[in-house]
Amino acid sequence: MRHCSVQVRGLLTREELDRYNGLIEAGTYLEDQSRYDLAYHVQKEIDVLILPAIERLKDKSRARDRATAEYLESLRAVEEDEDED
């Protein structure tokens, strides 16, 4: 089974995380039993389950990028004010 990243796992809700852990456990069991045909479907379900957390991670990244841009713009404004003096 392919695990999602720690960052994505950290953004799963409690309900999503419980479901994720259960699916990983079931998928691992199926792989141990060489039932890769069934494990494939479990992995697909995991991939769908983590999509909202991936979007939350992207939103956090975009917000951080906006905050960085605003900070850099404020630094430029301060430099311009100092140059005018």
Side-chain angles (χ1 to χ4, degrees):
M1 301 291 347
R2 285 187 333 264
H3 286 275
C4 64
S5 70
V6 173
Q7 292 88 350
V8 171
R9 244 178 293 165
L11 294 175
L12 291 171
T13 64
R14 172 53 48 197
E15 183 179 304
E16 290 168 339
L17 185 60
D18 290 343
R19 183 163 168 74
Y20 172 84
N21 288 332
L23 288 168
I24 286 289
E25 189 175 328
T28 301
Y29 173 79
L30 289 169
E31 285 181 340
D32 290 345
Q33 301 299 311
S34 298
R35 292 302 311 262
Y36 300 105
D37 56 328
L38 296 175
Y40 170 82
H41 295 289
V42 173
Q43 183 65 56
K44 286 296 184 188
E45 184 66 26
I46 290 170
D47 293 344
V48 170
L49 175 67
I50 64 174
L51 287 177
I54 291 171
E55 286 303 314
R56 290 190 283 272
L57 184 62
K58 288 178 183 178
D59 290 343
K60 283 181 71 171
S61 178
R62 288 183 199 110
R64 185 178 56 248
D65 290 346
R66 278 192 301 276
T68 299
E70 290 170 4
Y71 174 72
L72 293 175
E73 187 59 36
S74 72
L75 287 180
R76 282 188 212 107
V78 168
E79 280 182 8
E80 288 174 4
D81 288 345
E82 289 175 356
D83 289 343
E84 291 177 1
D85 291 338

